[in-house]
Amino acid sequence: MTRLAAASLAGTAIEFYDFFIYGTAAALVLGPLFFPTFSPLAGTLAAFGTFGIGFLARPLGSVLFGHIGDRRGRRPVLIGSLLLTGGATVAVGCVPTYDAIGVFAPLLLLLLRFLQGLGLGGEWGGAVLLTAEHAPAAKRGLWASFPQIGPSVGFLLANGVMLALAAGLSDAQFAAWGWRVPFWAAGVLALAGLWLRHAVTETPEFLGVQERARVPLFEVVRDHWRLVLLTAGSMAIGYAIFYTVSTWALSYGTEQLGVARTVMLTCIMAAVAIKGATTPFAAMLGDRYGRRPLCLYGAGAAALWMFPLIGLLSTGEPVLMFCGFLVALLAFIAMFSVLAAYLPELYEPRVRCTGAAVGYNLGGVLGGALTPIVATAVAGRGDGPPWGVAAYLTVIALVSLGCFAMLPETRPATATDAATA
């Protein structure tokens, strides 16, 4: 289990590094380079638009790789998704700017961002099922949480590289070539991930399926459509929180509050590091007390915290911004630490790779793709804190809370439960 968990964590870290590096670049530099004819605000919105394309592609990736995972096994998904995402990310670092090739520059960005999202849409399902279906039932939440640490590691890698480059280069050097370096580094990371994953074995639950689903998506839509919609709605607030903190707040802080890039990145990275470190501990609570209670507490805390989050961000004070980010991400991880066990347990093994991944990635469209765009548009250039952003996030949190309330508990019964009864 340790080897399998390490392979899953490393793979998700690498793929989310690929995905996050684009979001950071969109917040800091892509607008002026690829949309120079737009105003600064419109350029940022356009850059976030290309960012959102990756989320729209993720459900398609979950359908494509979910079909492979349910028909051919979880292992091929791990290899194929890593190759696709890594290759697209390296290519982003090679795209000429608008000044060199005109409108083809943003079009190429859109295409490559779409391919990134396609690969990441398959990655989560394969990595999570690899650990969840190997793990003993009593500790499934703990072992399945390791792929959920991967996004934190990927974010820290991506933004650590960006922070170092922003601190070590002039603005002109960073805009000319510095922003490309993290994208090129993705090629080395992808090769390392392939080396870690080449020896993983197929999961016993997949091997135990007596009859494979002919077209898994059709079965999911026919038999589990309500479950897919509920899981997608449940996921929305987690994505909205994470990309508010990691992407929109970075843009808002640097462009409208005048906070230095390095200060914003440091505040966000410190909060994300703590989030990653607490993930397995929250997952153990899920094994002990159930998946659903943690999700309800997390969504409820998020609904209560969105206005304080925006208020603390608007001060521009590093310590206060960090506190706002940290509490929001702890609410996030209360939900997402157990989801790697919760979502697979909601679906039967024959369609599990498709069902769990589609629900998870549809939530990304609702919460992740739209949030930076809506928040940037709502915040605009008005005076005072952007309370409209807080209201928008609170509504999403309440929707997710309602969806979690309608989902069943799935934690397997243990010997401790029997003794207590």
Side-chain angles (χ1 to χ4, degrees):
M1 283 307 308
T2 301
R3 179 172 56 83
L4 289 168
S8 293
L9 190 159
T12 53
I14 291 165
E15 293 223 36
F16 275 93
Y17 167 91
D18 296 349
F19 204 72
F20 289 146
I21 203 69
Y22 189 99
T24 305
L28 295 178
V29 75
L30 293 186
L33 293 177
F34 289 88
F35 305 95
T37 60
F38 291 16
S39 69
L41 176 60
T44 301
L45 282 169
F48 281 149
T50 61
F51 173 77
I53 290 294
F55 284 98
L56 295 177
R58 284 174 64 168
L60 298 177
S62 64
V63 171
L64 171 63
F65 286 102
H67 183 90
I68 296 171
D70 286 324
R71 292 286 299 166
R72 304 296 179 186
R74 320 315 190 195
R75 187 177 179 275
V77 172
L78 299 177
I79 306 301
S81 61
L82 187 59
L83 283 172
L84 179 58
T85 308
T89 305
V90 172
V92 169
C94 301
V95 175
T97 62
Y98 186 93
D99 288 342
I101 60 172
V103 72
F104 291 105
L107 289 177
L108 283 172
L109 271 189
L110 283 171
L111 173 62
L112 293 172
R113 181 62 176 172
F114 181 85
L115 293 177
Q116 270 191 325
L118 206 65
L120 193 62
E123 163 65 26
W124 185 85
V128 162
L129 292 187
L130 178 72
T131 49
E133 292 186 342
H134 273 102
K139 294 185 178 181
R140 185 177 295 136
L142 171 62
W143 287 113
S145 73
F146 281 89
Q148 297 295 78
I149 302 173
S152 298
V153 176
F155 180 86
L156 293 173
L157 282 174
N159 287 278
V161 173
M162 280 292 191
L163 181 62
L165 289 168
L169 300 176
S170 67
D171 287 346
Q173 290 173 321
F174 184 77
W177 57 268
W179 68 272
R180 298 181 183 274
V181 174
F183 290 92
W184 295 336
V188 178
L189 293 175
L191 292 175
L194 289 173
W195 178 78
L196 283 169
R197 287 183 163 184
H198 79 282
V200 298
T201 57
E202 191 52 76
T203 71
E205 288 200 41
F206 173 78
L207 295 175
V209 173
Q210 297 297 316
E211 183 180 353
R212 310 274 185 252
R214 291 181 60 84
V215 184
L217 179 63
F218 290 170
E219 291 196 23
V220 168
V221 172
R222 183 189 66 203
D223 300 331
H224 305 290
W225 62 270
R226 182 176 179 274
L227 184 57
V228 170
L229 293 178
L230 286 176
T231 53
S234 301
M235 302 299 101
I237 185 54
Y239 279 105
I241 289 173
F242 193 86
Y243 288 100
T244 293
V245 171
S246 66
T247 302
W248 173 77
L250 177 61
S251 174
Y252 180 79
T254 55
E255 293 182 7
Q256 299 204 34
L257 299 180
V259 181
R261 280 195 303 249
T262 53
V263 172
M264 288 301 303
L265 283 171
T266 301
C267 292
I268 295 169
M269 288 172 63
V272 171
I274 296 174
K275 174 192 83 76
T278 58
T279 299
F281 299 101
M284 285 191 286
L285 292 176
D287 280 332
R288 178 66 181 86
Y289 299 106
R291 326 307 190 197
R292 185 171 174 270
L294 259 70
C295 292
L296 291 171
Y297 289 137
L304 294 173
W305 189 247
M306 294 301 96
F307 277 90
L309 168 65
I310 296 302
L312 292 171
L313 169 63
S314 298
T315 67
E317 294 293 330
V319 174
L320 296 179
M321 291 191 297
F322 164 75
C323 291
F325 297 154
L326 178 60
V327 175
L329 290 177
L330 291 178
F332 163 87
I333 209 58
M335 298 174 278
F336 273 54
S337 64
V338 298
L339 286 177
Y342 195 14
L343 263 63
E345 288 170 346
L346 288 168
Y347 294 89
E348 58 183 308
R350 59 185 275 116
V351 295
R352 180 174 288 161
C353 195
T354 299
V358 168
Y360 184 85
N361 286 296
L362 280 176
V365 176
L366 299 174
L370 296 178
T371 294
I373 300 171
V374 172
T376 300
V378 169
R381 295 194 175 278
D383 296 328
W387 298 122
V389 176
Y392 170 75
L393 294 171
T394 301
V395 170
I396 296 177
L398 292 173
V399 170
S400 292
L401 181 63
C403 290
F404 276 127
M406 289 187 280
L407 289 174
E409 179 57 75
T410 62
R411 181 178 69 97
T414 64
T416 303
D417 297 329
T420 303

